[in-house]
Amino acid sequence: ETGVTQTPRHLVMGMTNKKSLKCEQHLGHNAMYWYKQSAKKPLELMFVYNFKEQTENNSVPSRFSPECPNSSHLFLHLHTLQPEDSALYLCASSQEFRRGQQGYTFGSGTRLTVV
Amino acid sequence: GDSVTQMEGPVTLSEEAFLTINCTYTATGYPSLFWYVQYPGEGLQLLLKATKADDKGSNKGFEATYRKETTSFHLEKGSVQVSDSAVYFCALSDQTGIQGAQKLVFGQGTRLTINP
């Protein structure tokens, strides 16, 4: 148990489907992150939230829509995805910067396949 | 901006061999440095960290020393096991975001395979 829980672990969706990924942490962290990990590519930071406010969006296509209702929960809403969006989507959480640099705690990821 | 460079993989070793995975960085200020490990089908797990120059992080037989003079944070283990097979990521904390969330900059990852 890493402290960050992602559901589902695996997801297969068609290009016309709408689905959501969920991330939950009870570590008392105030920052949450979405990363995309594709085969043979570096980790790609997608979104950053701090105290529920989005502080970074790294030019992510609008077919990915994040939602952070509170500091413990983070969602990634997916619609009209493309096959190249197939990847492992990782959620992470951390303390905010001024409380020390302890690094991130990652979830186990959601393996997404777009067919 | 800040960046992390790791040695190219994949790395293949025999069990009980000595391991070194090189990591160098460029950064403004004094970042904290991290090694993460990712086992097949899993997310990244923090392996060890160091927060200031000359600090040595250690865990599960792995070690890395924060070398400011050479801007390096090489990962070492004296005797590897098959169970160490994984992808290893070096990372630093970006100091530019003093307010708000921590921001880690990751290397590209090094795949390690240990053969029995």
Side-chain angles (χ1 to χ4, degrees):
Chain A
E1 175 57 54
T2 66
V4 177
T5 303
Q6 288 188 245
T7 54
R9 289 295 306 271
H10 301 274
L11 177 63
V12 179
M13 61 185 289
M15 288 189 284
T16 59
N17 290 161
K18 290 185 179 181
K19 296 286 184 184
S20 296
L21 309 185
K22 180 182 177 182
C23 177
E24 184 173 358
Q25 61 91 8
H26 297 288
L27 299 169
H29 291 166
N30 294 309
M32 297 188 79
Y33 312 79
W34 280 116
Y35 278 85
K36 178 183 179 182
Q37 187 177 35
S38 305
K40 303 187 190 304
K41 293 177 72 174
L43 280 167
E44 299 175 51
L45 177 63
M46 301 175 72
F47 302 103
V48 180
Y49 279 82
N50 193 44
F51 287 97
K52 306 188 302 178
E53 300 298 320
Q54 187 180 122
T55 58
E56 191 153 340
N57 175 340
N58 278 347
S59 304
V60 180
S62 60
R63 57 185 184 270
F64 295 91
S65 174
E67 178 190 1
C68 189
N70 54 60
S71 293
S72 298
H73 294 84
L74 183 65
F75 296 88
L76 188 62
H77 303 300
L78 316 171
H79 64 97
T80 59
L81 293 192
Q82 304 299 311
E84 59 265 29
D85 297 323
S86 299
L88 181 68
Y89 287 85
L90 293 166
C91 174
S93 69
S94 76
Q95 295 284 11
E96 68 269 27
F97 187 91
R98 65 182 177 85
R99 293 185 62 181
Q101 299 159 55
Q102 304 303 311
Y104 298 167
T105 301
F106 281 88
S108 296
T110 294
R111 173 68 63 186
L112 173 67
T113 303
V114 181
V115 298
Chain B
D2 294 357
S3 66
V4 174
T5 302
Q6 293 180 230
M7 65 187 289
E8 290 281 337
V11 174
T12 303
L13 296 172
S14 298
E15 205 164 22
E16 299 184 1
F18 184 87
L19 168 71
T20 300
I21 300 178
N22 290 338
C23 172
T24 57
Y25 67 91
T26 58
T28 55
Y30 303 96
S32 292
L33 301 173
F34 306 85
W35 277 101
Y36 282 83
V37 58
Q38 185 178 31
Y39 299 104
E42 297 293 326
L44 279 68
Q45 300 175 25
L46 179 63
L47 180 60
L48 53 83
K49 68 178 181 184
T51 57
K52 61 183 186 295
D54 299 325
D55 268 2
K56 177 186 284 188
S58 61
N59 186 24
K60 300 181 181 179
F62 290 90
E63 295 183 339
T65 301
Y66 190 144
R67 301 285 188 200
K68 186 169 180 291
E69 64 276 14
T70 54
T71 62
S72 65
F73 193 56
H74 305 321
L75 183 68
E76 296 181 337
K77 187 174 185 182
S79 177
V80 292
Q81 306 299 314
V82 172
S83 57
D84 295 326
S85 298
V87 181
Y88 292 81
F89 293 88
C90 186
L92 64 78
S93 61
D94 188 332
Q95 299 285 293
T96 58
I98 298 299
Q99 298 296 326
Q102 294 183 52
K103 187 174 176 183
L104 295 190
V105 177
F106 288 89
Q108 73 271 32
T110 302
R111 182 174 299 278
L112 173 67
T113 301
I114 307 300
N115 294 320

